[in-house]
């Protein structure tokens, strides 16, 4: 009877572990990963071709030369070097921000390259310079990578950061092999809802609605996501690239309200193409509400031409939506490229 009892306990324990794993791993597939939204609509090569033909009919220009100069505030890094206690966010351009929290310096999706492309001579070109030079950065302790697209995982930049700072790099499952092959030494892969404690911070890799791939035949083989950085008193959320879904609300429900939400507001048009994977300003404001955040810092615009909206439209559209939603603009912090905000 004692032997039978032990066997029964083992079976029950094994089944409970399996059940828990099935919940945690529901986004895993046989050959990669999938989004939490069961109705997620994948856009393939034919959709991209159709979109490119439609671009000729746009009523506005996508040439940065046809717009007033975008605001850039060159940053020499001196304030950042001397800040060892205050929470701060500096927008460097695109999805690259420098977060300072509890004396720890964190870069998000760093790209200093002139193009976001597999090659250096063709592909989307940078039309605003990085807000701070790499040589003027404070010591970088941590780099967080939301996914492996070329505008978010830029290997030339990561190699420079490795040579200068040797940071701890967080990334989704499946990306470590690529990064190690490029010479990065300290890489940690994470799964959704996984937590890691480092430098007195808790870093949680959280879901997004997006996709991954660096070529034609590796779609969704590596995991994409966002990050919640929890310090002693404050929390910062970095949204990476994402469409709108219930994950924003789930993050707040699980992990509590957020002080600063860094959310994308660009690369939004045409909606039939972009909506599954990129929130527009309306959805970014709703995500901000879902996250129960105090401040919204926008990003993912004003750096590369990746979509069809007028290049100067993301911030005004976000302000309109905040007004419509009855949210004071005091909660909205549209930084100039290179600008730092201390909280």
């Amino acid at each position: 009877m004692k032997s039978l009892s032990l066997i029964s306990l083992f079976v029950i324990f094994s089944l409970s572990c399996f059940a828990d794993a099935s919940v945690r791993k529901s986004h895993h597939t046989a050959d990669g990963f999938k989004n939490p939204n069961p109705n997620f609509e994948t856009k393939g090569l034919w959709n991209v071709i159709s979109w490119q033909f439609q671009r000729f009919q746009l009523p506005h220009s996508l040439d940065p030369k046809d717009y007033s100069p975008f605001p850039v505030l060159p940053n020499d890094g001196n304030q950042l070097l001397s800040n060892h206690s205050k929470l701060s966010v500096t927008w460097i351009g695109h999805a690259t921000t420098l977060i300072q929290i509890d004396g720890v310096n964190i870069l998000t999706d760093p790209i200093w390259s002139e193009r976001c492309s597999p090659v250096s001579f063709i592909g989307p070109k940078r039309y605003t310079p990085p807000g701070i030079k790499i040589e003027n950065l404070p010591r970088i302790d941590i780099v967080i990578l939301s996914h492996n697209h070329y505008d978010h995982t830029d290997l030339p930049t990561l190699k420079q950061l490795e040579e200068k700072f040797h940071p701890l790099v967080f990334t989704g499952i499946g990306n470590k092999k690529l990064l190690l092959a490029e010479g990065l030494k300290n890489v940690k892969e994470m799964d959704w809802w996984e937590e890691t404690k480092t430098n007195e911070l808790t870093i949680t890799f959280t879901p997004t609605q997006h996709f991954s791939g660096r070529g034609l035949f590796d779609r969704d083989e590596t995991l994409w996501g966002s990050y919640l950085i929890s310090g002693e008193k404050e929390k910062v959320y970095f949204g990476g690239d994402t469409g709108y879904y219930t994950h924003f609300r789930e993050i707040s429900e699980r992990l509590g309200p957020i002080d600063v939400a860094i959310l994308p507001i660009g690369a939004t048009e045409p909606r039939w193409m972009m909506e599954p994977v990129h929130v527009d300003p309306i959805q970014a404001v709703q995500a901000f509400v879902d996250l129960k955040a105090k401040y919204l810092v926008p990003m993912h615009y004003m750096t590369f031409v990746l979509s069809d909206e007028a290049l100067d439209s993301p911030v005004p559209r976000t302000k309109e939506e905040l007004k419509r939603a009855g949210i004071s603009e005091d909660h909205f912090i549209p930084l100039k490229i290179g600008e730092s905000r201390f909280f």
Side-chain angles (χ1 to χ4, degrees):
M1 288 295 293
K2 184 176 181 181
S3 175
L4 182 61
S5 177
L6 288 173
I7 292 172
S8 300
L9 286 171
F10 175 78
V11 170
I12 292 169
F13 175 77
S14 299
L15 288 173
S16 67
C17 288
F18 177 80
D20 181 59
S22 67
V23 171
R24 288 187 290 109
K25 306 293 183 180
S26 61
H27 54 287
H28 289 228
T29 67
D31 53 3
F33 304 91
K34 64 180 181 178
N35 281 296
N37 182 356
N39 299 316
F40 176 78
E41 184 180 357
T42 298
K43 301 295 184 180
L45 181 59
W46 178 246
N47 298 117
V48 175
I49 294 170
S50 299
W51 167 38
Q52 295 307 307
F53 276 109
Q54 292 181 15
R55 301 187 91 179
F56 294 108
Q57 303 173 12
L58 288 175
H60 56 263
S61 172
L62 293 178
D63 188 342
K65 295 177 183 176
D66 295 333
Y67 292 82
S68 299
F70 291 103
V72 177
L73 187 66
N75 192 327
D76 62 10
N78 287 335
Q79 268 191 306
L80 302 171
L81 284 167
S82 61
N83 178 35
H84 304 293
S85 58
K86 288 184 178 179
L87 173 64
S88 80
V89 177
T90 302
W91 190 31
I92 293 162
H94 200 51
T96 306
T97 64
L98 171 62
I99 301 166
Q100 296 184 301
I101 179 170
D102 293 352
V104 182
N105 298 318
I106 303 170
L107 277 178
T108 69
D109 288 356
I111 178 168
W112 265 260
S113 293
E114 281 299 301
R115 295 185 187 272
C116 54
S117 170
V119 292
S120 61
F121 55 88
I122 196 170
K125 187 176 181 180
R126 188 176 211 115
Y127 65 89
T128 48
I132 182 171
K133 296 178 180 178
I134 283 185
E135 53 264 34
N136 290 339
L137 288 170
R139 179 200 69 252
I140 299 302
D141 304 294
I142 295 170
V143 170
I144 56 177
L145 303 176
S146 62
H147 62 297
N148 71 356
H149 288 160
Y150 287 92
D151 57 323
H152 294 261
T153 295
D154 181 57
L155 296 178
T157 295
L158 290 170
K159 286 192 281 189
Q160 290 182 70
L161 294 170
E162 173 64 31
E163 291 172 5
K164 187 171 177 60
F165 302 110
H166 309 293
L168 172 58
V169 179
F170 290 97
T171 186
I173 295 174
N175 292 302
K176 184 174 183 177
K177 181 179 178 181
L178 170 68
L179 300 176
L180 292 179
E182 293 295 325
L184 279 73
K185 299 294 192 298
N186 195 4
V187 179
K188 178 172 175 54
E189 291 185 339
M190 299 186 78
D191 200 354
W192 287 348
W193 302 116
E194 183 178 348
E195 289 186 354
T196 295
K197 294 186 183 298
T198 182
N199 295 82
E200 305 301 320
L201 302 175
T202 299
I203 295 179
T204 309
F205 193 50
T206 46
T208 58
Q209 180 169 291
H210 203 59
F211 67 108
S212 65
R214 292 177 73 84
L216 294 176
F217 305 108
D218 64 342
R219 183 170 178 127
D220 296 348
E221 290 182 2
T222 65
L223 187 58
W224 54 94
S226 53
Y227 293 85
L228 184 66
I229 303 160
S230 303
E232 184 178 355
K233 296 179 180 178
E234 297 149 320
K235 295 178 183 175
V236 179
Y237 174 75
F238 172 68
D241 268 0
T242 182
Y244 182 78
Y245 191 56
T246 58
H247 59 278
F248 294 111
R249 188 164 60 251
E250 187 178 2
I251 289 166
S252 176
E253 289 171 352
R254 285 195 182 205
L255 303 174
I258 289 158
D259 293 281
V260 179
I262 304 171
L263 293 169
I265 62 170
T268 63
E269 302 297 329
R271 291 314 286 154
W272 69 266
M273 181 71 186
M274 297 296 183
E275 185 164 17
V277 294
H278 288 155
V279 292
D280 64 8
I282 294 173
Q283 294 168 325
V285 170
Q286 185 58 55
F288 170 70
V289 172
D290 290 353
L291 290 165
K292 296 183 173 65
K294 293 179 184 176
Y295 298 103
L296 167 56
V297 175
M299 51 87 171
H300 208 261
Y301 68 105
M302 206 185 289
T303 309
F304 299 100
V305 180
L306 301 175
S307 54
D308 290 355
E309 70 270 13
L311 301 182
D312 58 0
S313 67
V315 167
R317 289 176 63 198
T318 305
K319 287 182 177 180
E320 288 175 9
E321 182 56 24
L322 287 166
K323 183 177 180 180
R324 191 201 65 78
I327 299 171
S328 169
E329 275 192 32
D330 293 343
H331 298 280
F332 185 47
I333 305 175
L335 299 172
K336 298 180 178 67
I337 289 177
E339 185 179 2
S340 299
R341 176 62 64 95
F342 295 83
F343 297 89

